Amino acid sequence: MHHPAFSFVPEEPRRGAPGGRLNGWAIPVKDSTAVAGFTTTDGNPARARVAVKDDPLTRALLAAGADIPALTLTSELGATCYAERPGVPVLESPAYPGRTPGGSSAGAAVAVALGLSRAAHGTDAGGSIRVPAAACEVVGFKAAGSAGPAHGFLTRTVADQFEVLGWARPAPRRLRIGVLTQGLLAPAEVDGRRGGDVDKLAALLGRTHDVVELHPYPEAEATFAHFSHRITHAFARVDPLDSEYLAWCKAQGQRVTPAQLEAAAAHARELPGLLARRWGVDALLSPTLAFDPPPLGYFLSLSPAESFWRQTQWSPWCSLFNMTGAPAIALGPVHLGALTLTGPELLTLAAEAEAVAAEV
């Protein structure tokens, strides 16, 4: 377990309750989520502290019988969709050597991709589970949630998601699935192969569902502005320490007014209804990433403002589902987000997508 994907490995794992449904599972937790007795760093050793009590997610995993053997590497304070800084090991994608494995749940994605963990916990405030899942070509699911990071897991298969979450599979039904291969929250030049993967899957799903082509809704630019206000405001009171990027986020966040925050909250509340009117679909199928993971060091070479924008262009679809709070899943290069579906219903659709994709 002593791999750089793990930021902290105790002498003995935390043991899950005997007789639980997850007995036999060893599930590392992201190094931003407290596990009592483990040293949490939030992605920077200068932030190290020993957790004194368990996060509710930790308690739930232990109660279900899972062991927690380690914490996984994250980008600092989960602020970026890559994880590179001085004093922290730099991971590369097992699927794209020499390139970023994404973030912020970078260690979780690498551990699953390498087979070091059958499942790993992550959090997702703007794509932080789904971006690394795509960059490492594994499965990453973000559960439904309100404002703030949502919990979820990275696995190799959708079946393992059902097992970890303890959900029964609802009966499949005919759905209306929208297909979007244009950039949504930012204009993006989508790699032809990635758009092609979506088109192939759409054709296969069209055998059992109603599949329609979509275009970005007119208010998408406003959605991105509101999302940016919410994300940067979350860093308005952090100590950036030595991070130029966090210092930029803090400065941007301090400029966000209470009126802008309320407008962002109102937009988020209205978004499901707006999407129902504009698109009228049960789920959205898109690429997860617009292009292959960039080389290590790429995002660090940019100014903070340029990096923020380029990260959005790399993954211009994921954050929509952080604004709506709906569940969403990356099946490696393709992404499914729920518009009307529950988490179990979305996973059922994802399992079908996984199965038909394996046919070709």
Side-chain angles (χ1 to χ4, degrees):
M1 181 85 39
H2 288 279
H3 184 278
F6 303 107
S7 58
F8 177 79
V9 181
E11 291 186 10
E12 291 291 332
R14 286 287 301 279
R15 298 292 183 187
R21 62 180 180 80
L22 291 179
N23 280 162
W25 288 71
I27 302 177
V29 165
K30 185 176 178 179
D31 186 11
S32 57
T33 300
V35 180
F38 285 19
T39 300
T40 302
T41 71
D42 278 313
N44 183 347
R47 301 184 188 277
R49 63 200 182 280
V50 177
V52 296
K53 64 178 183 178
D54 290 328
D55 183 271
L57 180 282
T58 302
R59 292 199 298 271
L61 280 178
L62 293 170
D67 293 342
I68 301 178
L71 300 179
T72 55
L73 184 145
T74 176
S75 64
E76 188 170 2
L77 297 181
T80 54
C81 65
Y82 64 96
E84 299 170 44
R85 59 150 290 119
V88 174
V90 175
L91 304 177
E92 66 177 7
S93 166
Y96 298 88
R99 295 174 177 267
T100 179
S104 59
S105 305
V110 170
V112 170
L114 291 176
L116 303 174
S117 301
R118 183 176 171 186
H121 161 259
T123 61
D124 189 315
S128 284
I129 288 172
R130 293 160 290 152
V131 168
C136 296
E137 299 203 342
V138 296
V139 176
F141 175 72
K142 175 196 85 73
S146 55
H151 291 287
F153 295 93
L154 296 101
T155 60
R156 297 296 293 271
T157 66
V158 177
D160 278 350
Q161 294 280 345
F162 273 110
E163 285 205 47
V164 170
L165 293 162
W167 290 348
R169 296 194 187 211
R173 58 187 175 90
R174 193 173 187 90
L175 302 172
R176 184 173 170 84
I177 300 170
V179 180
L180 178 66
T181 54
Q182 298 167 265
L184 181 61
L185 300 188
E189 292 186 17
V190 180
D191 178 272
R193 177 174 57 84
R194 291 178 179 274
D197 287 341
V198 170
D199 290 338
K200 289 174 189 174
L201 181 56
L204 293 167
L205 290 174
R207 299 183 306 198
T208 51
H209 301 282
D210 299 318
V211 175
V212 296
E213 182 180 356
L214 298 179
H215 299 282
Y217 59 97
E219 299 85 356
E221 186 175 342
T223 299
F224 176 64
H226 291 307
F227 172 76
S228 299
H229 287 153
R230 290 174 72 163
I231 282 290
T232 56
H233 184 263
F235 297 97
R237 293 180 176 81
V238 305
D239 183 349
L241 299 180
D242 62 345
S243 170
E244 181 185 4
Y245 188 87
L246 286 173
W248 177 82
C249 287
K250 180 175 183 175
Q252 294 294 115
Q254 289 177 338
R255 295 189 185 102
V256 177
T257 67
Q260 287 173 321
L261 273 185
E262 176 50 39
H267 184 78
R269 289 192 298 270
E270 296 162 2
L271 201 47
L274 185 155
L275 295 173
R277 294 191 301 274
R278 296 296 191 193
W279 285 345
V281 296
D282 297 304
L284 179 68
L285 171 64
S286 72
T288 312
L289 305 173
F291 47 89
D292 287 353
L296 294 170
Y298 170 75
F299 289 117
L300 280 179
S301 72
L302 305 175
S303 70
E306 290 171 325
S307 177
F308 186 86
W309 179 242
R310 192 59 174 160
Q311 289 174 68
T312 306
Q313 289 184 311
W314 186 33
S315 181
W317 302 279
C318 285
S319 299
L320 173 65
F321 299 93
N322 297 97
M323 285 293 286
T324 64
I329 188 167
L331 301 170
V334 297
H335 184 273
L336 285 164
L339 277 298
T340 69
L341 307 181
T342 65
E345 288 173 328
L346 181 66
L347 281 190
T348 297
L349 175 60
E352 181 183 352
E354 184 182 60
V356 296
E359 295 174 8
V360 295

